């Protein structure tokens, strides 16, 4: 309950030297009064703070709330008086606020609140005021520490409120950098910078205890957009040689009250990698015969071991993989157009992430061979064949670099990968027969296909047939810019995509047999949520049929614009 006690303190001013001229008289400080104030403060919904099960901020001894009126006539700190409530995520704060003598707050006077924790290193305090928020040159070793030291919790309300709510305005980048121990021995100081268009926007020195495998957390103001950003590391080795290494980062708007994991390796290996999400994750490869030439590295590519039996990774440990095969289709799937058997490239018994350039698995890393990755991560079509361990981290994507594809090269590559939420990064400029047929079929948790670019204008038969069929959480599909369609190129492409709300197809010649046959089958034909189909021109609005092989009848149709 707020205490309404007001204390007015009228300081006395004594003037000396009454015979002095007016211009020599000191300018008196504005007279002020103090107001004693108390209020309950609680965190907002879903505030990410200490990572307890309830994700609640834990008010602690030494927490203070800085309160200021809209125009700064009133300001001051309220100290934690008592903490209570469910989860201790709300507390009573009280203290004295300083007011200009001529200012009297009313119940509807707007006020602003900022939380300062005992470990706060973010806010600048001068003469009893919070004068700034400085995210530069700060980092923490964990998210919990970053929340305590580098959070910007704020709230607004009216002076007469009995209760205020504050929310996290910061966002956090959680970096996990594996440094080559050959050039970065344990204890080496490393300077880390985040640059945007060559301009440094954040820099910090990683302490010696963090070298080797460096994990650190940087804080930024929520809502900040990163465009063309890169992470730059610099250090000096034991031979006094200077080193730098840069890592590109995806363009992203950093939402407040959120955190993002970014994993990178300073070694030279940029090929296929597997990273475990849990301890004691067993990795088993299905190609153990001699001519597979499969090797793995557990030190970032510095040393390699020929694969002969399963190995184990703990949480956040990563294996680099390289191979000498022409393709990774399943052994019993000899027919490039048949159903893969119960043998993907590898099996894991717990959740893991795949990343890096997949071409490191091939004998010729520069050329994509026929059926190269046919059924590579798929266990087939059976009801019990779901692959529930693979995912892709969008901050460290799996890259399919070939832009000109080969026959069946990615056919059924991820079919039935039910744990896959993010598609790999790839661009298709030249297609081939069934190159992406069934590539993501039955990926029931796939939601992010932003990495897929399909700019090819010359399509091949069946090239994207059933590409994302039965991806039931997918809302927006990749843009399809090709103007002339060919036989079965988009057949059943979006069939059973029950969450789909947007499709863009710029085709102007859709006369090829079965080119869009049943491509919208079992897709919702209603406007419960807005659903829009984008076409190339006004003429195409009437060219398409209103059916499951064209545009569903209740979908809105718009002309596409960049």
């Amino acid at each position: 309950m707020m205490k309404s006690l007001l204390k007015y303190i009228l300081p006395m001013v004594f003037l000396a030297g009454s015979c002095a001229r007016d211009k020599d008289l000191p300018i008196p400080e504005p007279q002020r009064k103090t107001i004693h104030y108390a209020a309950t403060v609680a965190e907002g919904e879903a505030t990410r703070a200490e990572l307890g099960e309830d994700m609640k901020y834990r008010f602690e001894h030494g927490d203070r709330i800085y309160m200021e009126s809209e125009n700064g006539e009133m300001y001051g700190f309220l100290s934690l008086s008592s903490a209570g409530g469910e989860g201790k995520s709300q507390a009573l704060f009280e203290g004295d606020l300083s007011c200009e003598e001529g200012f009297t707050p009313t119940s509807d006077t707007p006020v602003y609140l900022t939380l300062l924790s005992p470990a706060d290193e973010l806010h600048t305090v001068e003469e009893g005021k919070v004068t700034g928020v400085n995210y530069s040159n700060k980092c923490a070793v964990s998210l919990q520490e970053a929340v305590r030291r580098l959070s910007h919790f704020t709230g607004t309300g009216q002076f007469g409120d009995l209760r205020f709510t504050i929310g996290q305005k910061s966002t956090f980048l959680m970096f996990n950098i594996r440094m080559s121990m050959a050039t970065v021995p344990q204890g080496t100081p490393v300077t880390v910078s985040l640059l945007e268009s060559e301009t440094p926007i954040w820099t910090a020195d990683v302490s010696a205890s963090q070298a080797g495998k460096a994990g650190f957390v940087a804080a930024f103001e929520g809502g900040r957009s990163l465009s063309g950003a890169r992470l730059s590391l610099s250090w000096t080795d034991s031979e006094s040689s200077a080193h730098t290494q840069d890592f590109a980062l995806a363009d992203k708007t950093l939402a407040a009250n959120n955190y993002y994991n970014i994993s990178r390796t300073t070694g030279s290996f940029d090929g296929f990698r597997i990273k475990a999400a849990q301890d004691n994750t067993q990795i088993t490869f299905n190609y153990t015969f001699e001519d597979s030439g499969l090797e793995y590295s557990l030190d970032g590519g510095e040393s390699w071991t020929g694969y002969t039996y399963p190995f184990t990774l703990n949480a956040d440990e990563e294996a680099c993989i390289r191979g000498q095969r022409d393709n990774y289709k399943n052994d019993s799937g000899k027919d490039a157009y048949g159903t893969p058997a119960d043998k993907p490239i590898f099996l894991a018994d717990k959740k893991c992430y795949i990343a890096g350039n997949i071409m490191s698995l091939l004998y010729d890393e520069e050329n994509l061979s026929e059926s190269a990755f046919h059924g590579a991560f798929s266990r087939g079509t059976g009801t019990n064949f779901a692959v529930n361990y693979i995912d892709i981290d969008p901050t460290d994507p799996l890259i399919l670099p070939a832009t000109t594809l080969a026959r069946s090269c990615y056919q059924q590559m991820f079919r039935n990968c039910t744990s896959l939420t993010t598609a790999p990064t790839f661009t298709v400029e030249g297609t081939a027969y069934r190159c992406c047929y069934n590539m993501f079929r039955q990926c029931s948790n796939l939601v992010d296909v932003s990495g897929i670019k399909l700019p090819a204008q010359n399509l091949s038969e069946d090239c994207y047939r059933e590409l994302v069929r039965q991806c039931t959480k997918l809302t927006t599909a990749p843009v399809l810019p090709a103007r002339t369609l060919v036989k079965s190129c988009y057949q059943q492409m979006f069939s059973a995509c029950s969450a789909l709300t947007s499709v863009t197809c710029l085709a102007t010649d859709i006369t090829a047999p079965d080119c869009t046959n049943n491509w919208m089958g079992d897709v919702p034909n209603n406007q419960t949520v807005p659903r829009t189909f984008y076409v190339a021109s006004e003429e195409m609005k009437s060219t398409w049929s209103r059916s499951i092989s064209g545009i569903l009848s209740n979908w809105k149709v718009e002309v596409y614009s960049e």
Side-chain angles (χ1 to χ4, degrees):
M1 183 63 67
M2 180 182 66
K3 297 179 181 180
S4 58
L5 174 64
L6 304 182
K7 296 181 180 179
Y8 296 86
I9 300 177
L10 303 179
M12 298 181 65
V13 178
F14 296 90
L15 300 180
S18 60
C19 294
R21 291 174 298 177
D22 289 345
K23 66 178 181 180
D24 294 327
L25 293 175
I27 300 174
E29 292 292 328
Q31 296 185 355
R32 305 191 70 85
K33 59 189 177 185
T34 59
I35 297 177
H36 193 79
Y37 190 79
T40 296
V41 178
E43 60 151 343
E45 289 297 318
T47 298
R48 284 195 171 96
E50 294 187 8
L51 294 183
E53 292 182 0
D54 56 1
M55 302 293 279
K56 299 292 187 181
Y57 180 79
R58 309 294 187 183
F59 290 109
E60 59 181 330
H61 179 72
D63 278 349
R64 294 185 296 165
I65 291 289
Y66 176 73
M67 180 178 286
E68 185 176 17
S69 63
E70 186 172 24
N71 295 316
E73 305 99 329
M74 177 180 69
Y75 61 85
F77 287 94
L78 309 178
S79 298
L80 180 67
S81 176
S82 64
E86 183 178 353
K88 295 186 178 180
S89 57
Q90 63 180 29
L92 179 67
F93 288 80
E94 64 178 306
D96 291 334
L97 304 176
S98 175
C99 298
E100 292 182 4
E101 176 58 33
F103 173 77
T104 300
T106 63
S107 61
D108 59 355
T109 298
V111 291
Y112 303 90
L113 292 82
T114 302
L115 173 68
L116 282 75
S117 78
D120 194 299
E121 294 185 6
L122 199 64
H123 298 90
T124 303
V125 179
E126 295 180 3
E127 298 180 353
K129 295 182 180 180
V130 172
T131 59
V133 182
N134 179 22
Y135 285 98
S136 299
N137 309 320
K138 309 285 186 183
C139 69
V141 298
S142 67
L143 181 59
Q144 290 90 336
E145 181 190 350
V147 169
R148 294 183 67 241
R149 290 173 40 211
L150 308 176
S151 280
H152 185 40
F153 282 97
T154 68
T156 59
Q158 295 179 325
F159 183 71
D161 290 347
L162 298 176
R163 181 186 299 271
F164 294 92
T165 298
I166 58 173
Q168 175 71 274
K169 298 300 186 293
S170 296
T171 186
F172 301 96
L173 297 183
M174 301 173 61
F175 291 98
N176 181 23
I177 308 298
R178 182 191 294 272
M179 300 181 184
S180 169
M181 296 307 292
T183 58
V184 192
Q186 186 71 29
T188 303
V190 179
T191 298
V192 185
S193 300
L194 191 64
L195 301 95
E196 189 172 35
S197 301
E198 304 305 319
T199 301
I201 59 175
W202 178 87
T203 185
D205 291 324
V206 179
S207 67
S209 62
Q210 294 171 278
K213 294 181 180 179
F216 54 93
V217 182
F220 294 87
E221 187 70 17
R224 194 191 206 292
S225 178
L226 293 180
S227 177
R230 59 188 174 90
L231 181 70
S232 181
L233 281 68
S234 60
W235 67 94
T236 302
D237 64 21
S238 57
E239 303 297 325
S240 299
S241 297
H243 299 266
T244 61
Q245 182 136 8
D246 289 358
F247 303 96
L249 302 180
D251 293 350
K252 184 176 289 291
T253 298
L254 304 176
N257 188 28
N258 210 337
Y259 56 88
Y260 302 86
N261 291 291
I262 299 175
S263 299
R264 294 294 187 271
T265 301
T266 62
S268 59
F269 185 78
D270 61 356
F272 181 69
R273 291 174 278 117
I274 304 169
K275 182 178 180 180
Q278 303 176 48
D279 288 342
N280 298 314
T281 300
Q282 182 172 284
I283 305 296
T284 303
F285 281 85
N286 289 314
Y287 302 100
T288 57
F289 43 84
E290 185 177 352
D291 63 356
S292 71
L294 194 67
E295 296 179 305
Y296 67 94
S297 170
L298 300 180
D299 56 11
E302 294 186 37
S303 59
W304 294 87
T305 301
Y307 177 82
T308 55
Y309 53 84
F311 57 88
T312 299
L313 298 175
N314 287 323
D316 294 329
E317 287 187 337
E318 189 173 61
C320 303
I321 313 294
R322 64 188 185 189
Q324 294 291 312
R325 288 178 59 88
D326 288 328
N327 62 59
Y328 278 87
K329 70 177 181 178
N330 293 292
D331 286 345
S332 56
K334 300 298 185 182
D335 179 358
Y337 323 115
T339 300
D342 186 16
K343 283 188 177 181
I345 287 180
F346 72 90
L347 292 172
D349 59 358
K350 295 183 179 71
K351 181 71 172 288
C352 58
Y353 294 91
I354 54 177
N357 185 344
I358 199 168
M359 296 295 285
S360 71
L361 292 172
L362 299 182
Y363 178 80
D364 183 353
E365 294 187 25
E366 300 300 320
N367 295 293
L368 191 63
S369 57
E370 180 176 318
S371 299
F373 298 106
H374 170 230
F377 301 101
S378 173
R379 295 185 64 195
T381 61
T383 56
N384 296 320
F385 279 4
V387 177
N388 54 13
Y389 54 83
I390 288 179
D391 201 2
I392 295 172
D393 184 342
T395 66
D396 189 15
L398 177 70
I399 300 171
L400 315 184
T403 57
T404 299
L405 306 190
R407 181 184 180 106
S408 298
C409 59
Y410 299 146
Q411 180 173 335
Q412 302 191 93
M413 187 175 184
F414 295 95
R415 182 170 182 172
N416 244 335
C417 287
T418 55
S419 57
L420 189 71
T421 63
T422 303
T425 297
F426 70 104
T427 300
V428 179
E429 295 176 352
T431 64
Y433 178 65
R434 292 196 170 184
C435 54
C436 299
Y437 173 39
N438 269 326
M439 187 173 183
F440 299 102
R441 182 175 175 179
Q442 294 163 294
C443 291
S444 54
N445 282 297
L446 180 64
V447 294
D448 183 358
V449 292
S450 58
I452 300 177
K453 311 297 181 187
L454 306 176
Q457 288 292 329
N458 296 317
L459 304 184
S460 301
E461 183 178 338
D462 283 357
C463 58
Y464 303 139
R465 181 175 174 177
E466 302 180 48
L467 177 69
V468 291
R469 181 179 177 182
Q470 295 168 287
C471 292
T472 53
K473 288 189 177 178
L474 192 65
T475 59
T476 302
V479 175
L480 304 173
R483 298 292 171 150
T484 301
L485 303 190
V486 300
K487 182 180 179 181
S488 301
C489 59
Y490 298 159
Q491 182 171 335
Q492 291 188 294
M493 188 173 187
F494 307 117
S495 179
C497 291
S498 53
L500 196 64
T501 61
S502 176
V503 172
T504 301
C505 182
L506 306 185
T508 55
D509 183 349
I510 55 176
T511 60
D514 296 325
C515 59
T516 60
N517 180 37
N518 200 29
W519 75 330
M520 301 284 277
D522 294 321
V523 174
N525 185 19
N526 58 63
Q527 286 291 347
T528 304
V529 295
R531 302 179 192 278
T532 307
F533 191 98
Y534 295 93
V535 297
S537 64
E538 287 290 337
E539 179 184 0
M540 291 306 298
K541 286 184 177 182
S542 58
T543 301
W544 286 92
S545 66
R546 285 291 196 156
S547 67
I548 60 173
S549 297
I551 303 173
L552 296 180
S553 58
N554 289 321
W555 279 47
K556 186 178 181 181
V557 183
E558 298 282 357
V559 175
Y560 177 75
S561 173
E562 292 285 353

